[in-house]
Amino acid sequence: MAPPNDPASPPLSIRKNDDSSDKNFDLSNGKFSVKGFPLLSEVPSNVTFAPLLSSICKPPDAPLALLRRVQALSHKGGFLGFHKEAPSDRLINSLGKFTGREFLSIFRFKTWWSTMWVGNSGSDLQMETQWVLLNVPEIRSYVIIIPVIDGSFRSALHPGTDGHVMICAESGSTKVTASSFDAIAYVHVSENPYHIMNEAYSALRVHLNTFKLLEEKAAPSLIDKFGWCTWDAFYLTVEPAGVWHGVNDFVEGGVSPRFLIIDDGWQSINFDGENPNEDAKNLVLGGTQMTARLHRLDECEKFREYKGGSMLGPHPPSFDPKKPKMLISKAIELEHAEKDRDKAIQSGVTDLSAFESKIQKLKQELDVMFCGDEKSVSTGSSGSCSCKADSYGMKAFTRDLRTKFKGLDDIYVWHALCGAWGGVRPGATHLNSKIIPCKLSAGLDGTMNDLAVVKIIEGGIGLVQPDQAGDFYDSMHSYLASVGITGVKVDVIHTLEYVSEEYGGRVELAKSYYRGLSDSLAENFKGSGLISSMEQCNDFFFLGTKQISMGRVGDDFWFQDPNGDPMGVYWLQGVHMIHCAYNSMWMGQIIQPDWDMFQSDHLCAKFHAGSRAICGGPVYVSDSVGGHDFELLKKLVYPDGTIPRCQHFALPTRDCLFRNPLFDKKTILKIWNFNKHGGVIGAFNCQGAGWDPKEKRIKGYSECYKLMSGSVHVTDIEWDQKKEAAQMGDAEEYIIHLNQAEELLLVSPKSEAMQITIEPSSFEIFSFVPIKKLGTSIKFAPIGLTNMFNSGGTIQELGYFDSEAETCVKIDVKGGGNFLSYSNASPKKCFLNGAEVAFEWLVNGKLSLNLPWTEAAGGISKVAFLF
């Protein structure tokens, strides 16, 4: 059978939309109009427009249903281009101007991370804008402009003067130049701000044929589960005994992790100038490892020396849970001393002896604290030739973990896209790597100061040559798979744009690396065992996601402000939620959004937990050993380590799209999602911080950190965004359950919006369940387990049986605790797993009974009410 792009394949039948009078776009006389309405003015004469229809020439590697969908909507989109006389590797051109019009956009505030921004003029855009959504109420529509890939150039939107929208096309290499682009930005129009995202990225998937949509890929198996990541627990001091005790903590606390991520700190890295065969010693904080490089592709010594069975025996290696915190505390003290020295240098101080003396003293104290740890991970030496290789190291460790913790399905490890932060050390492996100096694009001048960028520029990247990218990833991943690792968290993804000068530019270099990564993922980790991170730029999404199906949609979880604002422990948490909610609008079309970990004993842990409960992705934490709030975790996680996950990925409600829920002093972030038998809205007071365009950083706005008021309505849920949910949007009445307030309200689509008031760093979760009318007068709606944040997610199956003789409701519920339903009349009987049981019914309609967790039944209780 011929592949889709083979000339032997039959041509795709292209037909114009039946409504030929519907001319959506027109570019003439310096105006770009949509549905007859002038959207952009002062459009330069060198700007062109071509309809999407003209770019669909032959069937790409896409499902037929997707092709037909894009074809049917092709009249709603098209491409902007521009032409210049002189070729260059970086070209900037205006696309026209707009003023006085609401927009929502996503821009890169760091090399790796993106966030939302709103405004009303082209000049309000930020540098490195990935897309802009314009509200056009005059035609009851929305228009999106998405900078894309054209040949060997990628593009981004920049602010211009006097309302102009600038597009910047760059190759990333002075050796790769161009002067003309026919499709450098995509434009799409729709009456629905959620449809527009799916329609636009579907069109680009067909046009570019370099990525796949989420709907075409399998998501990692861990999306329905609870897990633990080692990062905040240990930073770089992670070692086997600590990991073991960490997992054991959760199991003994009644919340068993189903996946484990061993984060940075497990690899074999060292620094240029050090012994090329020895690991770097005594690293603690993130930043200290960022100029180091891989010197071998397997685990570092502290994991290599783990002796199989040592944690299973009667005398396992000792572990002091206070030790990681003591090391981290001392390392922070050292870091502050080094910063003080650097500030002194910048201020002109010449006598640095006092600073250096303090630094040396702290280093010595840190070394003493590490002393004696070398052999704590094993009871023998892996150097003994009489021992089998699989009796030691990562293979023995993962085997012991699974022997002890039966529910641990997945064990992932961390690595940077280029291997380590500093890449691969030249000459240390069979790979041909070369240290490449880093060069930042001028577009990144508008981004936030970032320690990672500073360090990577300082050390350069040991880049494995692009023609060996496949060998590189397969060598590393095949080994990891052979020792029991089931997936990887790939971080520091957007470094390739720094080192593309000699490799055909950023697009071509990215293609080589992402092809190798995708092939290895398919070969070694079942095609889906990968979490992408530090990846939030259009290069990655357009070029790197043919196979990758899950990725982070927010910046890192920061338990406190690294810049020292004491209020950061609060306001940074709301910032994180905003990143995740708005980034999911576009990233969710291509990958499963991952809202990242948090710590269950953090001051704002409950705030985070509420958002994770309805985000639609996995739930995982980065708790320190012994630092857990199990009562909180049990509101998120079942005893078997699975979660009541929503059916979609959470998105901002329509009334939040063109608002700033971070520091406009009036907007509550509301996110919506679906459960199998209802909808859900989470309302979060995130006010108190955000992006400062002048200072180019995220900072606190203390005057905004206060009580906020807003409203919630059943129509805030976009019921039509999932086929299975559409029917629930047609209900005549709904019961609303307020998870935190423990209230029930009966409403209809015609009811007035519910007024709400929420404290800073607080939230409420509203479950909307359609009411079913039974018999002549019974109204019923199951709410779920109220001891879980996402109550509605606990309902697995629901059946109504209505006859003249008997009316019955049958419900399968997962989990243990208080099961609540609404019923305007008391049932005659209630059955639990076939046996009649007592229940409580109140005149306000609350119908409840307590459900046990039955392990043998997978936690499922079969409930039946007879009326």
Side-chain angles (χ1 to χ4, degrees):
M1 181 177 178
N5 281 326
D6 193 285
S9 298
L12 177 67
S13 175
I14 304 290
R15 298 192 306 272
K16 290 187 177 181
N17 186 271
D18 293 337
D19 186 5
S20 57
S21 65
D22 183 15
K23 186 179 181 183
N24 280 322
F25 303 99
D26 177 68
L27 176 57
S28 59
N29 301 317
K31 293 182 180 179
F32 182 65
S33 299
V34 181
K35 294 184 178 180
F37 183 82
L39 187 68
L40 301 175
S41 61
E42 296 184 20
V43 180
S45 60
N46 69 335
V47 173
T48 60
F49 178 78
L52 170 64
L53 195 68
S54 63
S55 79
I56 308 176
C57 301
K58 54 186 177 181
D61 179 20
L64 184 59
L66 173 60
L67 285 167
R68 288 175 172 168
R69 191 172 80 214
V70 171
Q71 176 190 336
L73 298 171
S74 61
H75 62 290
K76 299 173 70 174
F79 292 94
L80 293 169
F82 69 88
H83 306 272
K84 295 217 173 193
E85 293 184 4
S88 175
D89 63 303
R90 188 170 189 268
L91 304 96
I92 299 178
N93 204 87
S94 171
L95 296 178
K97 64 177 283 187
F98 73 87
T99 57
R101 180 162 306 285
E102 290 182 330
F103 75 75
L104 167 66
S105 67
I106 293 289
F107 75 99
R108 282 205 287 174
F109 69 94
K110 289 185 179 180
T111 296
W112 346 92
W113 305 122
S114 296
T115 194
M116 62 87 75
W117 189 249
V118 295
N120 57 26
S121 160
S123 297
D124 291 337
L125 291 169
Q126 299 300 295
M127 299 287 280
E128 279 295 307
T129 290
Q130 309 290 286
W131 53 262
V132 59
L133 179 69
L134 300 164
N135 187 14
V136 195
E138 296 90 341
I139 53 174
R140 297 182 180 180
S141 296
Y142 303 86
V143 176
I144 192 169
I145 303 174
I146 307 173
V148 296
I149 306 286
D150 194 345
S152 294
F153 283 69
R154 62 78 69 171
S155 61
L157 300 177
H158 292 184
T161 58
D162 193 29
H164 275 266
V165 179
M166 311 302 293
I167 190 158
C168 175
E170 55 189 340
S171 71
S173 172
T174 56
K175 299 178 181 180
V176 180
T177 62
S179 61
S180 180
F181 304 97
D182 295 323
I184 199 64
Y186 180 66
V187 186
H188 197 90
V189 61
S190 177
E191 295 178 358
N192 186 300
Y194 303 97
H195 288 161
I196 201 171
M197 296 312 237
N198 182 260
E199 291 173 5
Y201 283 95
S202 295
L204 288 173
R205 184 263 181 264
V206 170
H207 167 74
L208 292 171
N209 197 29
T210 54
F211 69 97
K212 289 184 178 180
L213 300 175
L214 176 59
E215 66 190 61
E216 301 177 71
K217 297 175 288 194
S221 60
L222 53 75
I223 64 168
D224 294 304
K225 300 171 184 177
F226 168 71
W228 179 51
C229 176
T230 63
W231 179 242
D232 287 306
F234 305 105
Y235 295 133
L236 302 172
T237 70
V238 63
E239 45 84 23
V243 174
W244 183 280
H245 283 275
V247 176
N248 192 60
D249 262 9
F250 288 106
V251 174
E252 291 187 348
V255 183
S256 299
R258 297 294 289 270
F259 67 90
L260 165 68
I261 302 173
I262 302 175
D263 213 291
D264 199 358
W266 71 272
Q267 293 177 298
S268 298
I269 62 172
N270 56 31
F271 298 93
D272 297 345
E274 290 186 344
N275 186 327
N277 300 314
E278 291 185 2
D279 295 333
K281 305 295 184 184
N282 299 354
L283 299 178
V284 181
L285 299 181
T288 56
Q289 87 287 30
M290 289 178 179
T291 56
R293 315 187 201 282
L294 283 185
H295 68 91
R296 49 192 291 169
L297 303 182
D298 60 356
E299 65 270 27
C300 63
E301 185 178 13
K302 56 189 176 181
F303 280 88
R304 268 199 318 274
E305 290 192 344
Y306 175 81
K307 183 179 180 180
S310 60
M311 295 303 300
L312 295 171
H315 305 292
S318 62
F319 175 75
D320 180 1
K322 297 179 182 177
K323 187 67 172 289
K325 293 182 179 180
M326 292 168 61
L327 288 169
I328 290 168
S329 179
K330 182 60 67 175
I332 290 173
E333 193 178 351
L334 172 59
E335 181 182 65
H336 288 167
E338 290 173 335
K339 286 182 177 180
D340 290 341
R341 177 198 58 193
D342 295 343
K343 288 179 182 178
I345 293 172
Q346 293 173 2
S347 62
V349 175
T350 56
D351 183 4
L352 301 174
S353 57
F355 294 98
E356 296 294 354
S357 176
K358 182 177 181 180
I359 289 170
Q360 288 305 311
K361 178 176 179 292
L362 291 169
K363 285 183 176 180
Q364 290 171 2
E365 292 173 354
L366 190 60
D367 289 343
V368 169
M369 293 173 68
F370 271 106
C371 192
D373 282 354
E374 286 83 356
K375 299 299 179 183
S376 67
V377 297
S378 71
T379 57
S381 171
S382 61
S384 172
C385 61
S386 64
C387 297
K388 295 181 179 180
D390 62 1
S391 295
Y392 285 84
M394 189 67 84
K395 186 172 186 176
F397 182 53
T398 61
R399 184 177 60 238
D400 285 357
L401 281 170
R402 290 189 171 97
T403 299
K404 172 69 173 178
F405 309 110
K406 303 297 186 183
L408 190 58
D409 300 321
D410 286 291
I411 302 174
Y412 281 35
V413 295
W414 177 102
H415 72 76
L417 182 72
C418 294
W421 287 86
V424 176
R425 187 166 179 171
T429 70
H430 73 284
L431 300 163
N432 179 17
S433 66
K434 179 182 177 183
I435 298 176
I436 308 297
C438 295
K439 178 184 176 183
L440 269 62
S441 163
L444 292 174
D445 289 344
T447 57
M448 188 172 172
N449 183 49
D450 186 355
L451 174 64
V453 176
V454 172
K455 288 291 186 179
I456 291 172
I457 291 174
E458 177 187 323
I461 295 173
L463 187 72
V464 172
Q465 298 305 290
D467 61 357
Q468 283 192 312
D471 183 10
F472 169 42
Y473 291 121
D474 185 64
S475 295
M476 183 162 49
H477 294 165
S478 61
Y479 169 75
L480 290 171
S482 74
V483 299
I485 301 301
T486 56
V488 286
K489 173 184 173 182
V490 181
D491 216 350
V492 207
I493 283 179
H494 248 277
T495 47
L496 293 179
E497 65 179 275
Y498 294 173
V499 291
S500 57
E501 171 65 27
E502 301 295 328
Y503 300 99
R506 60 195 289 174
V507 172
E508 300 309 315
L509 179 59
K511 285 180 179 178
S512 295
Y513 262 72
Y514 294 143
R515 186 184 309 116
L517 182 61
S518 296
D519 289 347
S520 181
L521 173 59
E523 179 68 24
N524 297 300
F525 298 130
K526 299 183 179 179
S528 61
L530 189 151
I531 302 172
S532 55
S533 181
M534 298 176 75
E535 88 290 13
Q536 294 169 10
C537 181
N538 55 8
D539 302 48
F540 170 78
F541 284 93
F542 290 146
L543 300 172
T545 54
K546 272 203 166 184
Q547 189 71 42
I548 295 170
S549 59
M550 182 165 154
R552 290 266 304 279
V553 289
D555 188 2
D556 291 330
F557 161 73
W558 291 97
F559 66 90
Q560 62 185 15
D561 179 22
N563 296 312
D565 184 341
M567 284 297 291
V569 69
Y570 299 103
W571 58 251
L572 272 169
Q573 317 318 317
V575 170
H576 186 276
M577 290 181 197
I578 297 297
H579 295 334
C580 294
Y582 288 85
N583 274 326
S584 293
M585 292 182 69
W586 67 300
M587 296 179 190
Q589 309 305 322
I590 302 170
I591 58 170
Q592 169 64 48
D594 169 13
W595 282 48
D596 196 22
M597 57 206 174
F598 67 102
Q599 290 180 303
S600 71
D601 65 345
H602 187 269
L603 287 171
C604 294
K606 189 176 180 181
F607 191 46
H608 274 286
S611 69
R612 301 309 192 279
I614 61 170
C615 73
V619 173
Y620 57 114
V621 294
S622 193
D623 290 358
S624 299
V625 179
H628 315 288
D629 183 340
F630 288 116
E631 184 179 347
L632 179 69
L633 290 174
K634 289 175 182 178
K635 295 178 183 292
L636 287 168
V637 186
Y638 296 126
D640 65 356
T642 61
I643 58 173
R645 185 173 72 91
C646 285
Q647 303 286 299
H648 199 260
F649 47 89
L651 293 173
T653 57
R654 198 174 294 217
D655 56 352
C656 289
L657 293 183
F658 302 98
R659 301 292 178 263
N660 186 343
L662 283 174
F663 57 94
D664 69 0
K665 301 182 181 179
K666 59 184 179 182
T667 304
I668 292 172
L669 171 68
K670 293 186 295 180
I671 55 177
W672 59 267
N673 211 330
F674 308 119
N675 287 309
K676 196 171 181 180
H677 300 286
V680 62
I681 290 176
F684 298 85
N685 186 347
C686 299
Q687 293 276 336
W691 178 251
D692 186 318
K694 293 181 179 178
E695 297 186 22
K696 297 179 182 177
R697 69 183 182 97
I698 290 173
K699 70 174 189 179
Y701 291 89
S702 58
E703 68 276 13
C704 302
Y705 192 76
K706 60 181 182 179
L707 198 75
M708 289 288 152
S709 296
S711 63
V712 172
H713 195 269
V714 64
T715 54
D716 288 337
I717 300 173
E718 302 287 333
W719 299 98
D720 65 346
Q721 292 304 298
K722 191 171 179 66
K723 183 180 179 181
E724 297 81 357
Q727 187 175 358
M728 293 190 290
D730 296 329
E732 294 181 4
E733 290 182 301
Y734 299 84
I735 198 70
I736 306 178
H737 176 250
L738 281 66
N739 182 274
Q740 296 298 288
E742 300 182 352
E743 294 179 8
L744 281 184
L745 296 172
L746 182 67
V747 300
S748 76
K750 296 179 181 179
S751 299
E752 293 290 325
M754 185 192 328
Q755 300 304 305
I756 60 173
T757 300
I758 300 181
E759 296 283 348
S761 301
S762 299
F763 69 98
E764 181 60 270
I765 294 175
F766 304 84
S767 294
F768 290 79
V769 187
I771 289 179
K772 179 73 172 180
K773 293 182 179 179
L774 301 168
T776 57
S777 59
I778 298 170
K779 294 181 178 181
F780 186 90
I783 291 154
L785 294 176
T786 59
N787 48 290
M788 305 292 281
F789 283 127
N790 184 25
S791 304
T794 64
I795 299 174
Q796 309 296 297
E797 299 294 338
L798 172 63
Y800 294 103
F801 305 89
D802 200 5
S803 67
E804 292 184 6
E806 189 176 62
T807 295
C808 178
V809 180
K810 294 183 178 180
I811 312 161
D812 286 1
V813 185
K814 184 168 183 177
N818 181 55
F819 176 68
L820 178 67
S821 295
Y822 168 79
S823 179
N824 68 334
S826 176
K828 295 177 182 177
K829 294 181 180 180
C830 173
F831 293 88
L832 174 60
N833 298 324
E836 186 173 353
V837 294
F839 60 88
E840 181 182 54
W841 179 80
L842 302 176
V843 292
N844 62 2
K846 285 187 176 182
L847 171 62
S848 59
L849 73 153
N850 193 64
L851 302 182
W853 172 269
T854 306
E855 190 68 33
I860 301 291
S861 293
K862 293 185 175 295
V863 179
F865 293 107
L866 297 182
F867 291 89

